[in-house]
Amino acid sequence: KLAEAVAAGAREVKDAEVSVWQVPELTPDDVLEKSGAKAARAAFAHVPVAKPDQLAEADAIIFGTPTRFGNMCAQMRNFLDQTGGLWMKGALIGKVGSVFTSTASQHGGQETTITSFHSTLLHQGMIIVGVPYSEQRLLNMNEITGGSPYGASTLASGDGSRQPSENELAIARFQGKHVATIASQLKRGRG
């Protein structure tokens, strides 16, 4: 839901072409089955799987990852580790990069996941864009909510009982629109 909100925000920008992709799953099917995650994974069956070289075609890339112990998940790390060829060519230099995340607890490492992800984007030469405080929902103190100047986030329970709140989804839409706007401005500037 957070990825869909980010994409919806990006689509609000004139002439933005927006695609949603997922990275390949690394966990064997039998392990997913035993953990109960195979049914949840089926919900993403319609989302195409990205290949690292596709990143070079984009003007902006907004990465989403669940948090695993304050870091990105292994699937995303594995995907990014395959971008060495892009790094060698400088294929991502000057592209806009942004990150959003989901944690299973209120203090599950939302900010550390995003900021540690930024290291990879900086090595690739990307321009990092977060969520400025002009997005007033970051200041919401009336509820437990994700979202920070580093990027949109949500607190999600493993059993699905807590879904992203409207505040969290609004921050995600803002992030998508903000990133797409900056990418569009940079692209126009490059002529």
Side-chain angles (χ1 to χ4, degrees), residues 103-122:
T103 60
S105 66
Q106 186 174 353
H107 304 290
Q110 295 176 17
E111 293 180 350
T112 58
T113 297
I114 294 173
T115 58
S116 65
F117 203 120
H118 287 166
S119 296
T120 300
L121 304 185
L122 289 167

Side-chain angles (χ1 to χ4, degrees), residues 119-135:
S119 296
T120 300
L121 304 185
L122 289 167
H123 276 264
Q124 289 284 7
M126 298 181 79
I127 300 163
I128 296 172
V129 174
V131 178
Y133 278 102
S134 59
E135 171 47 88

Side-chain angles (χ1 to χ4, degrees), residues 118-178:
H118 287 166
S119 296
T120 300
L121 304 185
L122 289 167
H123 276 264
Q124 289 284 7
M126 298 181 79
I127 300 163
I128 296 172
V129 174
V131 178
Y133 278 102
S134 59
E135 171 47 88
Q136 292 288 297
R137 292 175 192 93
L138 291 178
L139 301 170
N140 183 346
M141 295 294 288
N142 297 322
E143 62 183 275
I144 293 174
T145 185
S148 74
Y150 310 110
S153 58
T154 187
L155 302 114
S157 55
D159 65 3
S161 62
R162 186 187 192 278
Q163 295 294 308
S165 70
E166 183 47 46
N167 195 68
E168 294 166 335
L169 293 171
I171 293 168
R173 285 189 296 273
F174 179 95
Q175 183 175 2
K177 184 175 182 177
H178 183 59

Side-chain angles (χ1 to χ4, degrees), residues 11-170:
R11 287 185 183 106
E12 291 179 31
V13 177
K14 184 179 186 237
D15 297 327
E17 293 180 33
V18 180
S19 300
V20 176
W21 301 84
Q22 63 176 312
V23 298
E25 179 58 67
L26 301 175
T27 308
D29 282 343
D30 63 326
V31 175
L32 288 174
E33 186 80 47
K34 288 177 189 171
S35 69
K38 190 164 185 174
R41 187 79 183 148
F44 297 98
H46 69 286
V47 179
V49 175
K51 295 187 178 19
D53 287 344
Q54 289 173 292
L55 299 178
E57 300 167 13
D59 296 317
I61 306 157
I62 306 172
F63 296 92
T65 181
T67 294
R68 297 292 184 266
F69 306 106
N71 291 291
M72 69 180 80
C73 66
Q75 294 88 336
M76 182 61 75
R77 181 73 261 158
N78 177 268
F79 180 80
L80 293 173
D81 285 347
Q82 296 176 55
T83 63
L86 296 174
W87 174 78
M88 288 293 293
K89 294 184 232 172
L92 302 182
I93 293 173
K95 294 184 182 293
V96 176
S98 196
V99 184
F100 65 95
T101 192
S102 171
T103 60
S105 66
Q106 186 174 353
H107 304 290
Q110 295 176 17
E111 293 180 350
T112 58
T113 297
I114 294 173
T115 58
S116 65
F117 203 120
H118 287 166
S119 296
T120 300
L121 304 185
L122 289 167
H123 276 264
Q124 289 284 7
M126 298 181 79
I127 300 163
I128 296 172
V129 174
V131 178
Y133 278 102
S134 59
E135 171 47 88
Q136 292 288 297
R137 292 175 192 93
L138 291 178
L139 301 170
N140 183 346
M141 295 294 288
N142 297 322
E143 62 183 275
I144 293 174
T145 185
S148 74
Y150 310 110
S153 58
T154 187
L155 302 114
S157 55
D159 65 3
S161 62
R162 186 187 192 278
Q163 295 294 308
S165 70
E166 183 47 46
N167 195 68
E168 294 166 335
L169 293 171

Side-chain angles (χ1 to χ4, degrees), residues 174-186:
F174 179 95
Q175 183 175 2
K177 184 175 182 177
H178 183 59
V179 168
T181 298
I182 290 172
S184 175
Q185 291 168 342
L186 286 171

